Amino acid sequence: MNSSPFPVVLFSKLFMEVIDGNEIAAQIISELKVEVNSFSQERPTVLFIRVGEDPASVSYVRKKQNTAKKIGITSQLLVLPDSITQEDLLDAISKANADQEIHGILVQAPLPAHIDERKVFNHVNPTKDVDGFNATNLGKLCQEMEEGFTSCTPAGILEILKRKKIVTEGKHVVVLGRSLIVGKPAGMLLLRKGIPGNATVTFCHSRTPDLAKFTQKADIIIVAIGKPQFLTADMVSTGTTIIDVGINRLADSAKKSGFRLVGDVDYDKVAPLCSAITPVPGGVGPMTVAMLMSNTVKAFKLSLETSYS
Ligand code: GUN
C-alpha cells in the first residue's frame, strides 16, 4: 500500500466515481423491454408470494410488480396470511410449480418465524427459481453452469462491475458477509473463470478477528454485513472499489419519515478514499430488481426451450 497517501488521496478524489445504480438498472430494464416486445405472443409471467403484511415486504413486492409492468412482464400476487402453515405454503408453491403459465416464482422474505425459509426456497422448481435461492441453483453457480439462476443482488453486483469495466481479474476481492443470498454467491461469481471473475476472494464475517487487516489489502470490497456504517475509513486503502449492499434505517428527526437510509459503509468518510463506490440508496438496490426481471425473462426462454424439446 502507498506509504505517502497524500498524492493518492488527491488522485482518487479527482477520479472517484459514484456508481449510479439507477442509471445502470434503467438501461437493463429498457434492454429487457425491447426483448420482451420481440416475443411473438406469450409474455413472461412471474408469481410473487407474500406472506403477511410486513410493510417493507409490501413495498418491495409493489416495486417489483411496477418494474415488471414497465417491461411487459405479467406479474401475479398471492398474499397468504401470517398464520399459514408450512405445509400449506409448500402446497401453494407446488401449484405454481405445476402451472405452465407461470415462468418464475418468488417467495418474498422474511417469512414468519414458524416457517423454515430454506425448505420453502428449495421447494421452488429450480427452473422457475428467479431468486436463485434454491440449492440446485447455488450448486449450478459453483459448477459454473450458465443455465442456472443467480441470486439477484450478486448478479447485480457483477453487472455493475461489468458495465463499469471494473477489472476483477487478478484482483483481491474481500467479501464482508457470508449469507446464502449475497455474500457466498457474490464471492463465488468473482471466483469463476471468466470476466468479470478470475479474482482472488477472501470471505470475512462477524467472527473474523482483525477484519481491517483484510479490508486494507483489498482492491474491491463487497460489504453485506447488515450493520449500518460498519466499514470505516481506517479500514480502507486509497483507490479501493467499494460495493455497499447494506440498507439500514437510521432514526432522523429531520426526515418526514423519521428515518434515513444508510448502507454498511460510513459513506461520507470512506467515499473520498475510493476509486469507485456505490451509494445507498441508488447503488446496488435498483440492480437487484433489474436482475430479477432479467432472471424472469431467462426463465421464460427456458420454458420455451423445454416445451419444444
Ligand atoms: N427480501 C428482501 N430481498 C429479497 C429478495 O431479493 N428476494 C426475496 N425472495 N425476498 C427478499
Side-chain angles (χ1 to χ4, degrees):
M1 295 295 121
N2 200 294
S3 55
S4 159
F6 179 67
V8 183
V9 170
L10 208 64
F11 180 83
S12 65
K13 266 194 170 157
L14 284 175
F15 292 100
M16 189 267 284
E17 179 174 11
V18 178
I19 296 169
D20 186 344
N22 281 314
E23 186 183 297
I24 306 172
Q27 208 173 334
I28 293 168
I29 287 164
S30 80
E31 289 163 11
L32 288 171
K33 196 171 169 180
V34 171
E35 188 174 6
V36 168
N37 275 332
S38 75
F39 297 144
S40 49
Q41 291 158 347
E42 228 188 327
R43 289 281 175 259
T45 300
V46 58
L47 170 71
F48 296 108
I49 302 180
R50 200 187 77 217
V51 179
E53 297 298 327
D54 169 56
S57 292
V58 170
S59 149
Y60 282 140
V61 171
R62 191 182 302 128
K63 170 105 191 90
K64 289 168 186 174
Q65 288 198 281
N66 287 341
T67 309
K69 195 170 173 189
K70 260 192 224 164
I71 295 170
I73 292 173
T74 305
S75 74
Q76 298 177 9
L77 173 63
L78 175 62
V79 180
L80 298 168
D82 255 331
S83 56
I84 191 159
T85 62
Q86 168 125 342
E87 208 187 343
D88 286 349
L89 177 55
L90 295 182
D91 278 351
I93 295 169
S94 296
K95 281 200 189 94
N97 282 340
D99 186 337
Q100 307 244 341
E101 302 203 336
I102 293 173
H103 309 107
I105 302 168
L106 179 145
V107 185
Q108 184 68 22
L111 292 169
H114 66 278
I115 306 257
D116 181 342
E117 263 185 17
R118 205 165 294 196
K119 269 202 182 129
V120 168
F121 295 144
N122 284 338
H123 200 68
V124 175
N125 184 320
T127 64
K128 298 189 179 191
D129 173 32
V130 287
D131 246 335
F133 292 172
N134 188 289
T136 300
N137 282 316
L138 286 163
K140 284 185 175 177
L141 171 63
C142 291
Q143 289 197 349
E144 305 192 9
M145 293 169 77
E146 285 298 323
E147 79 269 22
F149 291 95
T150 306
S151 180
C152 302
T153 301
I157 294 171
L158 212 74
E159 204 59 34
I160 287 175
L161 296 171
K162 191 158 99 186
R163 291 187 186 230
K164 286 287 156 190
K165 299 187 170 50
I166 294 169
V167 176
T168 58
E169 175 150 321
K171 301 294 179 187
H172 181 204
V173 177
V174 172
V175 181
L176 298 190
R178 54 181 161 176
S179 73
L180 271 180
I181 292 173
V182 183
K184 282 188 189 128
M188 292 310 301
L189 282 170
L190 286 157
L191 199 60
R192 282 194 314 189
K193 294 187 194 88
I195 297 191
N198 291 340
T200 302
V201 179
T202 302
F203 288 96
C204 297
H205 47 81
S206 54
R207 301 291 176 93
T208 305
D210 197 5
L211 230 143
K213 190 175 75 189
F214 299 96
T215 53
Q216 283 161 354
K217 290 198 183 118
D219 298 301
I220 300 171
I221 310 176
I222 297 173
V223 199
I225 207 149
K227 291 183 184 151
Q229 299 168 324
F230 175 84
L231 190 80
T232 47
D234 56 307
M235 299 167 81
V236 176
S237 293
T238 47
T240 311
T241 293
I242 298 193
I243 307 289
D244 187 354
V245 182
I247 302 179
N248 310 284
R249 285 180 176 194
L250 273 195
D252 187 341
S253 56
K255 298 268 176 197
K256 209 168 138 194
S257 59
F259 67 84
R260 68 190 158 96
L261 290 181
V262 297
D264 290 354
V265 177
D266 186 5
Y267 186 88
D268 290 345
K269 300 212 176 73
V270 170
L273 299 172
C274 298
S275 59
I277 187 165
T278 59
V280 177
V284 173
M287 292 299 293
T288 300
V289 181
M291 297 320 287
L292 170 67
M293 300 301 138
S294 171
N295 277 351
T296 303
V297 172
K298 184 174 175 177
F300 172 70
K301 291 195 285 192
L302 197 66
S303 78
L304 295 181
E305 278 168 31
T306 45
S307 61
Y308 291 125
S309 59

